[in-house]
Amino acid sequence: MPKFQSLSKFTISCYLISVIVIASILANDYWQWLELPTKVRVGILVVAVIIGLSGSLVSIVKQLKDILRGK
């Protein structure tokens, strides 16, 4: 069983960026300080998901590389 590895700074920063972007869009929907069209909001949310997934993929690839290397 492989040991638990801490997340890289890149992965954590990707997660933080995506959470901040998603939270700002949700806050905008609640307080309505910006009148963004629906397509723009959906596009921003998709970008936030892509950023979060890229952080996850980097972490997964790193761990798989270490496992396959036999570390």
Side-chain angles (χ1 to χ4, degrees):
M1 180 100 154
K3 285 184 166 181
F4 174 76
Q5 296 177 358
S6 62
L7 295 175
S8 67
K9 291 179 183 177
F10 177 76
T11 302
I12 293 173
S13 62
C14 284
Y15 289 163
L16 286 175
I17 290 169
S18 62
V19 165
I20 289 170
V21 170
I22 291 170
S24 66
I25 292 296
L26 292 176
N28 181 41
D29 288 344
Y30 183 73
W31 285 299
Q32 297 176 352
W33 65 70
L34 292 173
E35 291 298 325
L36 295 174
T38 303
K39 287 184 180 181
V40 172
R41 286 186 302 192
V42 170
I44 292 171
L45 289 174
V46 167
V47 168
V49 169
I50 290 171
I51 291 170
L53 285 177
S54 67
S56 295
L57 288 175
V58 166
S59 178
I60 291 169
V61 167
K62 240 180 168 180
Q63 289 181 7
L64 282 176
K65 186 173 69 173
D66 289 343
I67 290 171
L68 293 176
R69 203 182 282 166
K71 216 175 187 184

